[in-house]
Amino acid sequence: MSLFKARDWWSTVLGEKEEFDQGCLCLADVDNTGNGQDKIIVGSFMGYLRIFNPHPVKTGDGAQAEDMLLEVHLRDPILQVEVGKFVSGTEMLHLAVLHSRKLCVYSVSGTLGNVEHGNQYQIKLMYEHNLQRTACNMTYGSFGGVKGRDLICIQSMDGMLMVFEQESYAFGRFLPGCLLPGPLAYSSRTDSFITVSSCRQVESYKYQVLAFATDADKRQETEQQKLGSGKRLVVDWTLNIGEQALDICIVSFNQSASSVFVLGERNFFCLKDNGQIRFMKKLDCSPSCFLPYCSVSEGTINTLIGNHNHMLHIYQDVTLKWATQLPHIPVAVRVGCLHDLKGVIVTLSDDGHLQCSYLGTDPSFFQAPKVESRELHYEELDIELKELQKIIKDVNKSQGIWPMTEREDDLKVSAMVSPKFDSVSQAADVEVGTDLVPSVTVKVTLQNRLALQKAKLSVYVQPPLVLTCDQFTFEFMAPEMSRTVAFSVYLKGSYTPSELEGNAVVSYSSPSGIPRVIQCKFRLPLKLICLPGQPSKTASHKLTIDTNKSPVSLLSLFPGFANQSEDDQVNVMGFRFLGGSRVTLLASKTSQRYRIQSEQFEDLWLITNELIIRLQEYFEKQGIKDFACSFSGSMPLQEYFELIDHHFELRINGEKLEELLSERAVQFRAIQRRLLTRFKDKTPAPLQHLDTLLDGTYKQVIALADAVEENQDSLFQSFTRLKSATHLVILLIGLWQKLSTDQVAILEAAFLPLQQDTQELGWEETVDAAISHLLKTCLSKSSKEQALNLSSQLNIPKDTSRLKKHITLLCDRLAKGGRLCLSTDAAAPQTMVMPGI
């Protein structure tokens, strides 16, 4: 238990799923008993008005039935409640309730009960004002120095101040330059209204200036308070505080001086009557409400400030005097006298937690038990310490800094892809052409050992593959429970994806509150995007993969792609992607080689990768473990560079189109301003073909916007094809130089750093920076190259020549014996095996 928690005197929870704000709480002797005891008045956005008079039997008791004096449903949302002398002819206190379109004033009275049920309270409507504008907040006081009664000022959502002299409407004035309403308060000493405008400055308006200014009902909407009769509304003083205000409070404990307190988003300010800053305090936490009140020290003011860290801070001027913890985040705080207890702090949260508390401490009475004294055997302790150090050293050597111990996971995720297509395809809005697009069902199963809450499953596949549903949320999972979700995957676009691998990621929090993420990968079938096709004898792009085993029948490797029209041709197979491109696979009858050929370079990737995976699976089933693939041909960098140039050209084109669209948009707005000025002019002037120019510019803007969208679609498809070609180049480099899995992972991290391409951060500059780092670290020739620093900022390059040069240099250094690594020894120059030396 914390020592500085607020001491709970009385508390309750108001309603169910109701909402409250800073104006919904008020403390006053609303039933005019005259004994100095305050009542708690609370209004909610659901329209419920409640009045409480707490009488706890002992400290910390909850609310009893007799504590609630009144509960009534007013139907309209209650924005603010205030108590004052609002009825003419009497100085009794009445309750003012502000709704969005109405102001109601009630009298609250109690009838002495004759039976055990106690006293009965009721409210009576004295009068109401229907508002022409939507209200935001209100303030009250003796405007103009009137005696014995209070006037009400309501601020509307569009910045109009409406003054009501009790039962009658006085006048309404618009605040100049108002965009959004701010907090509003009335200073009786200077007879002025103080608010914070949208310009983030405190503004003060004299009541007399408001009263004699131009009537708001007669103003011109387009020329606010510049035309029409009467005086202009002039601000008395302003102070720029540089932030939006949450609340304003006027404090005056003697007639000689008063202070204006403003609570900002990061600071609170104390101002003099003339707007000069008396002091300010920078807050450590985001505040939620505040209340200045009197201080025991002469010349100082105490302030209660609640924040979003469940804390209530008490400041004496700028000095923090006390900090206490609350069980909720307060949106309103008041201090009053309840049940003969003075200085009770009343707080209200936005979800209806109402608490009466006082300041104090809870001293801890815990005493540590005495420890039995015993003799220490230093020799045994030294032996135990050495054993522990040896265990720690062994663990660090074998497993790194964080030991990965084998343990039972809290959650296990598994994915299963259906071997058959869906009987009814789930494909919708596909752009593939005339082919019937199939869909396949994937089931993801979650098995948890412990109770979990709000586990979220996210599934991702490579575009243009799409999912029928990619987000699943499990609010609660009981221990030893299994949950299975199913979704379908299908091809939506007319081009091929860069990968057939999907990823299911589950994020959850362990019972101890530690956030964790677990993922599971699944592989989609090739037949989802590919159909059997007619083999082609000629092709623009060809690859030959060498193996160390006898060739395998293609019918046994690809049983679902056998072409019925070809008889006894087990060494040739054709594939046709749903987008239309074709790939041919040939197996040599005499040598241990396989050839893949296609008209498009990037289309070779999926079939080549699928071939290697299926060959590995085939020989593993045969019990052969020394199967290996290799590539001995020339690296197809020229074809790869053509795809890079095409992708870069689309990026440059998109940049030009966006600049041109920005220019046309500026021109369009300029023409609009010129036309608006002509239309507002009292003396009509010819348009001078501005309307024709506006229409032509509008058509240009629409055409450019369409061109930008079309270029973005082309860029997205080009990036997908570039990723496919990049995967193929990485695979060929790995087979060419017989790279290990870790080295291939380094290449993938360098060549495929981005999941998506943007104008701000593109593929070319990112890959160029990564390859340059490899060339200057693990693939460097000398220490001079290592001394070159890379640029800290990535910008779009002028062309791709530098990138293509670096990729060629990377392949050249790998061919000469360079090896990829990321260890601390990577900075040492590699020993190059030079030909002929």
Side-chain angles (χ1 to χ4, degrees), residues 65-80:
E66 58 270 19
D67 292 342
M68 181 181 288
L69 304 183
L70 179 70
E71 180 180 28
V72 60
H73 188 206
L74 301 180
R75 292 180 295 182
D76 296 322
I78 298 175
L79 305 182
Q80 193 172 342

Side-chain angles (χ1 to χ4, degrees), residues 544-546 593 630-635 732 735-736:
T544 302
I545 303 297
D546 299 328
R593 294 181 176 182
S630 61
F631 177 71
S632 57
S634 60
M635 195 60 56
L732 295 179
L735 297 177
W736 174 43

Side-chain angles (χ1 to χ4, degrees), residues 454-562:
K454 290 187 178 179
K456 185 176 181 180
L457 168 64
S458 302
V459 188
Y460 178 78
V461 293
Q462 293 288 339
L465 291 173
V466 293
L467 304 163
T468 52
C469 183
D470 59 354
Q471 300 282 345
F472 302 90
T473 304
F474 308 96
E475 292 294 334
F476 178 76
M477 296 182 67
E480 304 297 338
M481 184 179 178
S482 177
R483 297 284 294 273
T484 301
V485 296
F487 50 88
S488 294
V489 188
Y490 61 91
L491 184 71
K492 188 174 182 179
S494 59
Y495 52 100
T496 57
S498 60
E499 284 185 281
L500 288 175
E501 195 175 67
N503 199 8
V505 181
V506 181
S507 58
Y508 66 98
S509 296
S510 65
S512 58
I514 301 174
R516 287 181 177 170
V517 175
I518 187 170
Q519 64 176 345
C520 171
K521 294 187 177 181
F522 56 90
R523 185 164 184 80
L524 298 170
L526 180 64
K527 58 183 180 180
L528 183 65
I529 62 167
C530 190
L531 300 172
Q534 189 70 26
S536 175
K537 294 182 180 180
T538 58
S540 301
H541 304 279
K542 300 177 183 179
L543 287 178
T544 302
I545 303 297
D546 299 328
T547 63
N548 59 351
K549 300 296 177 185
S550 301
V552 183
S553 170
L554 296 182
L555 292 178
S556 59
L557 288 179
F558 298 90
F561 291 90

Side-chain angles (χ1 to χ4, degrees), residues 769-793:
I771 295 178
S772 299
H773 175 74
L774 293 177
L775 292 173
K776 292 172 183 178
T777 53
C778 59
L779 296 178
S780 63
K781 284 185 178 181
S782 62
S783 58
K784 184 179 179 181
E785 286 188 357
Q786 299 169 17
L788 298 176
N789 294 324
L790 296 175
S791 174
S792 59
Q793 187 174 3

